[in-house]
Amino acid sequence: MQPSFFDLDDRYKKLNERDALIGLDKLIDWEGFRETLQRCREKARKSAAGRKGFDVVLMFKALVLQDLYNLSDEELEFQIRDRYSFCRFLGLTPEDRVPDAKTIWLFREQLTEKGLIKALFEDFEWQLEEKGFKAKKGQIVDASLVSAPIQRNSREENTQIKRGEIPQRFEANPHVKRQKDVEARWTEKNGQKHDGYKDHLVIDNEYKLIRNFEVTSAEVHDSQVFFELLSENTSKEVWADSAYRSEENEWMLKAGGYRSQVHRKGYRNRPLNKRAQQSNRRKSRIRARVEPVFGSMENEMGGLFLRVIGLARAKTKIGLMNLVYNLKRCVSLCRRGLSAA
DNA sequence: TAGTGGCTTAGATGTCGATA
DNA sequence: TATCGACATCTAAGCCACTA
């Protein structure tokens, strides 16, 4: 359910809207994304005729606003028309045309089709390095569940979906099929059941910026997405909770030249001794630095919740959430004068 | 002015929360 | 538990701005 405008105003206050948008506008090099964004519009054309599309950087900034305030496409269109701060951020005047909600949807769809979200994330990684925010002091790996709308399927349909099959009712009716997410999966965490996807990410220990991410369906275990996340860092230390602890992962960390700071795991017949418990507590002080990253997404950006259907769209949407977190974090670090440290 | 392609409109279908 | 309204995603088709 979308938040009411009262909720929205509350979130604006939390983010200090005016300052947040001015900071994003002034401190981020939006033109740095243009080359990648132009690939959205690459297709075989018979001529240069036809209506011109909205500027790709403007559309991208609109998607950033959408994730910053967790707005639906319709609500984003309304807010761009309604709020001068949004218009100014997008470089529009009140007389200018504003992209329609469906145009916004279509642009996000084009990003998904071309699979550009990782490239955009990497574009910003270059900007971070230029600003002096090179990944330092080791990396911390973690994952968080991102809920998707719960599907109202029969038990038999859910069993078929779990087997990777498409239920006959969906096949028979294309309208039903396109509204059904057959790629989201159920999983259980802390005794609670969740349906959706998982955002696996790695942050650096110095700046708490997301350095890499992967999106999978929720049932994929954290430890299955580990090495592909590790990125360049000045230190070889890697922190992670006990879910990532396995003989294979430890061997691979060693082979890759990393120093494991992964929590030790206790077992029913083999509990952790005092020394191992102390070691875990010490590691926790560093590893816990990843929690505010998910906390920021949950509390300030409106929550880890998706309305899109399918893994490909979820990858784009979650990727955008991660990128928007980094944009926000970068502005905060610049303001504190921590760049070029 | 016809052809082209992005944008908008209308409609189908879904979930969620309130209510009886 | 069923029903209803509100609000969401997504597609198809037609509109409209632009080019040759």
Side-chain angles (χ1 to χ4, degrees), chain A residues 139-143 200-202 212-214 216 220-231 236-254 258-263:
Chain A
Q139 39 198 327
I140 308 168
V141 180
D142 205 354
H200 307 261
L201 54 81
V202 60
N212 197 5
F213 71 92
E214 287 292 334
T216 66
V220 174
H221 193 264
D222 296 3
S223 62
Q224 287 180 261
V225 184
F226 187 44
F227 281 93
E228 48 269 63
L229 286 175
L230 299 182
S231 57
K236 286 291 184 184
E237 290 189 291
V238 177
W239 285 267
D241 65 31
S242 57
Y244 292 89
R245 187 98 190 179
S246 70
E247 271 186 35
E248 189 189 353
N249 279 353
E250 288 301 303
W251 182 84
M252 287 183 74
L253 275 177
K254 204 172 175 182
Y258 293 101
R259 282 194 297 278
S260 173
Q261 298 290 349
V262 180
H263 282 216

Side-chain angles (χ1 to χ4, degrees), chain A residues 52-263:
Chain A
K52 292 283 171 285
F54 280 96
D55 179 60
V56 285
V57 174
L58 181 152
M59 294 302 291
F60 177 60
K61 287 171 87 174
L63 292 185
V64 168
L65 280 178
Q66 183 174 43
D67 276 320
L68 201 55
Y69 298 105
N70 192 26
L71 302 170
S72 68
D73 295 345
E74 300 278 354
E75 206 175 3
L76 175 62
E77 180 190 346
F78 174 80
Q79 294 293 342
I80 293 171
R81 291 183 199 281
D82 192 55
R83 293 194 178 247
Y84 184 60
S85 59
F86 279 24
C87 272
R88 191 174 47 199
F89 176 66
L90 298 178
L92 294 171
T93 66
E95 294 79 30
D96 284 332
R97 272 192 319 136
V98 166
D100 180 85
K102 304 299 183 293
T103 307
I104 294 162
W105 180 85
L106 194 65
F107 182 73
R108 195 170 52 244
E109 194 69 0
Q110 287 167 339
L111 284 183
T112 303
E113 273 173 25
K114 300 276 182 181
L116 294 181
I117 191 61
K118 268 288 177 90
L120 290 167
F121 193 85
E122 281 161 17
D123 285 344
F124 190 56
E125 183 68 24
W126 278 106
Q127 286 195 40
L128 289 173
E129 292 213 9
E130 279 174 10
K131 289 178 193 297
F133 300 126
K134 197 173 164 62
K136 286 180 183 174
K137 296 187 178 177
Q139 39 198 327
I140 308 168
V141 180
D142 205 354
S144 181
L145 292 164
V146 183
S147 300
I150 294 167
Q151 303 287 302
R152 295 184 177 185
N153 304 327
S154 67
R155 283 190 178 184
E156 193 185 340
E157 284 169 349
N158 279 336
T159 311
Q160 284 180 290
I161 290 167
K162 208 173 176 181
R163 285 202 302 261
E165 298 166 9
I166 308 290
Q168 202 184 354
R169 182 166 69 93
F170 303 176
E171 288 287 16
N173 188 340
H175 296 304
V176 174
K177 192 179 177 184
R178 63 172 170 250
Q179 294 292 335
K180 291 290 189 183
D181 192 339
V182 294
E183 290 169 317
R185 290 287 184 275
W186 284 95
T187 190
E188 198 169 327
K189 189 178 180 183
N190 301 329
Q192 277 196 319
K193 291 196 170 181
H194 302 266
D195 184 41
Y197 298 90
K198 198 175 267 188
D199 185 11
H200 307 261
L201 54 81
V202 60
I203 68 163
D204 72 287
N205 184 20
E206 173 75 0
Y207 296 112
K208 287 193 273 184
L209 284 158
I210 300 171
R211 298 299 178 170
N212 197 5
F213 71 92
E214 287 292 334
V215 178
T216 66
S217 54
E219 95 285 10
V220 174
H221 193 264
D222 296 3
S223 62
Q224 287 180 261
V225 184
F226 187 44
F227 281 93
E228 48 269 63
L229 286 175
L230 299 182
S231 57
E232 271 189 39
N233 197 292
T234 56
S235 164
K236 286 291 184 184
E237 290 189 291
V238 177
W239 285 267
D241 65 31
S242 57
Y244 292 89
R245 187 98 190 179
S246 70
E247 271 186 35
E248 189 189 353
N249 279 353
E250 288 301 303
W251 182 84
M252 287 183 74
L253 275 177
K254 204 172 175 182
Y258 293 101
R259 282 194 297 278
S260 173
Q261 298 290 349
V262 180
H263 282 216

Side-chain angles (χ1 to χ4, degrees), chain A residues 21 76 217 252 267 284 327:
Chain A
L21 292 185
L76 175 62
S217 54
M252 287 183 74
Y267 297 93
S284 278
L327 291 167

